[in-house]
Amino acid sequence: MQVSIACTEHNLKSRNGEDRLISKQNTTTPNVVNAARAKFRTVAIIARSLGTFTPQHHISLKESTAKQTGMKYRNLGKSGLRVSCLGLGTWVTFGGQISDEVAEQLMTIAYESGVNLFDTAEVYAAGKAEVILGNILKKKGWRRSSLVITTKLYWGGKAETERGLSRKHIIEEIVRAMTHVINQGMAMYWGTSRWSAMEIMEAYSVARQFNMIPPVCEQAEYHLFQREKVEVQLPELYHKIGVGAMTWSPLACGIISGKYGSGVPESSRAALKCYQWLKEKIVSEEGRKQQVKLKDLSPIAVRLGCTLPQLAVAWCLRNEGVSSVLLGSSNPEQLIENLGAIQVLPKMTSHIVNEIDNILGNKPYSKKDYRS
């Protein structure tokens, strides 16, 4: 699928200094999703496809595997968009923690390993991440039809008119704006990030009521220590309205990597001034308990012939409701290791999953589980 990102006035400007595209629309419409409620959320995943849209009732939800790379591909929710089950994220790294050269190395490794999904956001590195991503794509000359690029918006700029989910920021209120973007040919799909199940359902209801386009996926945090939303709330949305899950932080910002077992290394993300919150989380009582559980999980990884990070990523992938897991890497070696989780996935039997659940002791239960 060929994709491009375009959704806000801020985002619609070209990156070479051309004037912004200013919308002259001023239509009064029902304020169906209050921007104030969206303060800590973002509208995400804007994908433009030149392929033919596939109606939901004709979609094959089967997982497929590339022969050359072994990468697996799944539908994004119940849409017709096929994404690699592992994607590459750019948060913290692109435009910040790593150089442009390393960023290019990471994207090359990912692409050659079968990854077709690359995620960014207008706020990452104050917009630099989007620029670096675009420059690399242009330089590499990869077929645009082979890529899926996703972005997110909310914290766009410093001015009041450059951030948020208000009408000024995205032309109209959220659902109407995304429908406008898609109808104009700038995007094919849209989704949400860090929205509650109730808010996603409200957006879907509004779309159906006013004959607009509903979201196809939610981008949510998901890892060994964060399970409730993806395992209980989103599956219900998937079966009811077809919204899929694109998950991020499979290693919990590096906590699950094992690097923090003996403290906080100076070269780690938690040592950065802007990540003091992460350091506090690691050294807290809860953080120490998590490290003990990770040590208990290590023998399972050894038994399966993989590393702890690979086990953690494969554990995320074993969830059939997850369309894609976004990886964040600061060096090629780390990315190659995490991509190796694909080889561990077939080993994630129900026995292994139950063994992991017993160690973690945090398996969430749905209403269905309680009824049974």
Side-chain angles (χ1 to χ4, degrees), residues 276-331:
Q276 183 66 28
W277 60 269
L278 179 58
K279 182 177 181 180
E280 293 174 356
K281 185 176 182 179
I282 293 170
V283 301
S284 67
E285 182 178 354
E286 180 62 26
R288 290 194 294 271
K289 290 180 180 179
Q290 290 177 350
Q291 291 301 320
V292 171
K293 292 180 179 180
L294 291 176
K295 289 181 180 179
D296 292 338
L297 289 174
S298 294
I300 298 179
V302 172
R303 215 162 63 233
L304 297 181
C306 66
T307 64
L308 185 58
Q310 289 175 331
L311 177 66
V313 175
W315 178 87
C316 293
L317 288 174
R318 109 282 176 207
N319 188 330
E320 294 180 352
V322 173
S323 297
S324 186
V325 175
L326 298 176
L327 304 174
S329 302
S330 58
N331 58 72

Side-chain angles (χ1 to χ4, degrees), residues 2-15 21 43-49 81 116-123 129-131 133-134 137 144 147-153 178 181-182 185-190:
Q2 178 165 343
V3 298
S4 64
I5 310 306
C7 43
T8 68
E9 294 168 5
H10 176 70
N11 239 14
L12 288 175
K13 70 174 183 177
S14 67
R15 294 302 184 182
L21 174 61
V43 172
I45 307 108
I46 316 296
R48 173 176 173 268
S49 167
L81 186 62
N116 72 355
L117 174 60
F118 296 90
D119 179 74
T120 186
E122 62 174 359
V123 72
E130 286 184 330
V131 175
L133 179 68
L137 293 178
R144 294 290 285 137
L147 301 171
V148 176
I149 310 298
T150 62
T151 193
K152 296 172 290 296
L153 62 102
M178 294 300 101
V181 167
I182 292 172
M186 295 182 287
M188 180 60 80
Y189 306 94
W190 78 277

Side-chain angles (χ1 to χ4, degrees), residues 31-303:
N31 186 15
V32 294
V33 184
N34 194 308
R37 287 204 333 242
K39 185 175 181 181
F40 297 104
R41 298 176 280 110
T42 55
V43 172
I45 307 108
I46 316 296
R48 173 176 173 268
S49 167
L50 294 186
T52 303
F53 177 74
T54 309
Q56 291 187 6
H57 56 279
H58 290 310
I59 292 174
S60 170
L61 299 179
K62 275 190 171 183
E63 182 178 83
S64 60
T65 304
K67 293 182 179 180
Q68 292 183 337
T69 63
M71 179 58 66
K72 298 182 181 299
Y73 300 90
R74 301 171 179 175
N75 285 78
L76 185 57
K78 289 187 179 179
S79 75
L81 186 62
R82 298 285 284 182
V83 294
S84 53
C85 67
L86 290 177
L88 181 64
T90 60
W91 180 41
V92 183
T93 51
F94 282 43
Q97 196 176 14
I98 63 176
S99 65
D100 293 2
E101 290 73 23
V102 173
E104 182 178 341
Q105 291 178 27
L106 295 178
M107 286 191 64
T108 302
I109 292 172
Y111 184 77
E112 293 179 350
S113 298
V115 171
N116 72 355
L117 174 60
F118 296 90
D119 179 74
T120 186
E122 62 174 359
V123 72
Y124 292 173
K128 292 181 181 178
E130 286 184 330
V131 175
I132 293 172
L133 179 68
N135 287 339
I136 293 173
L137 293 178
K138 183 177 180 180
K139 178 180 179 181
K140 301 301 291 188
W142 293 326
R143 297 192 323 278
R144 294 290 285 137
S145 58
S146 67
L147 301 171
V148 176
I149 310 298
T150 62
T151 193
K152 296 172 290 296
L153 62 102
Y154 180 82
W155 305 105
K158 296 180 179 180
E160 286 298 316
T161 55
E162 293 179 334
R163 63 176 182 268
L165 298 177
S166 65
R167 294 178 184 176
K168 174 64 172 67
H169 190 58
I170 56 172
I171 305 172
E172 291 281 349
E173 38 30 25
I174 301 169
V175 182
R176 193 175 297 277
M178 294 300 101
T179 300
H180 173 78
V181 167
I182 292 172
N183 287 340
Q184 291 296 309
M186 295 182 287
M188 180 60 80
Y189 306 94
W190 78 277
T192 59
S193 179
R194 301 179 71 180
W195 283 32
S196 69
M198 183 181 298
E199 289 163 335
I200 296 171
M201 195 67 195
E202 182 180 356
Y204 176 85
S205 299
V206 167
R208 287 298 177 232
Q209 180 181 357
F210 294 101
N211 194 29
M212 295 187 288
I213 301 172
V216 298
C217 66
E218 157 70 4
Q219 203 175 84
E221 182 178 5
Y222 184 50
H223 49 73
L224 294 170
F225 304 121
Q226 184 80 24
R227 307 177 59 173
E228 176 76 22
K229 183 174 184 178
V230 173
E231 295 186 11
V232 177
Q233 299 176 21
L234 293 187
E236 187 173 353
L237 287 179
Y238 173 80
H239 292 297
K240 283 185 176 180
I241 61 177
V243 170
M246 183 184 295
T247 67
W248 50 276
S249 199
L251 300 184
C253 293
I255 292 176
I256 299 175
S257 67
K259 69 175 71 174
Y260 298 116
S262 302
V264 180
E266 293 184 1
S267 59
S268 66
R269 181 185 302 182
L272 300 175
K273 290 183 179 180
C274 56
Y275 284 88
Q276 183 66 28
W277 60 269
L278 179 58
K279 182 177 181 180
E280 293 174 356
K281 185 176 182 179
I282 293 170
V283 301
S284 67
E285 182 178 354
E286 180 62 26
R288 290 194 294 271
K289 290 180 180 179
Q290 290 177 350
Q291 291 301 320
V292 171
K293 292 180 179 180
L294 291 176
K295 289 181 180 179
D296 292 338
L297 289 174
S298 294
I300 298 179
V302 172
R303 215 162 63 233

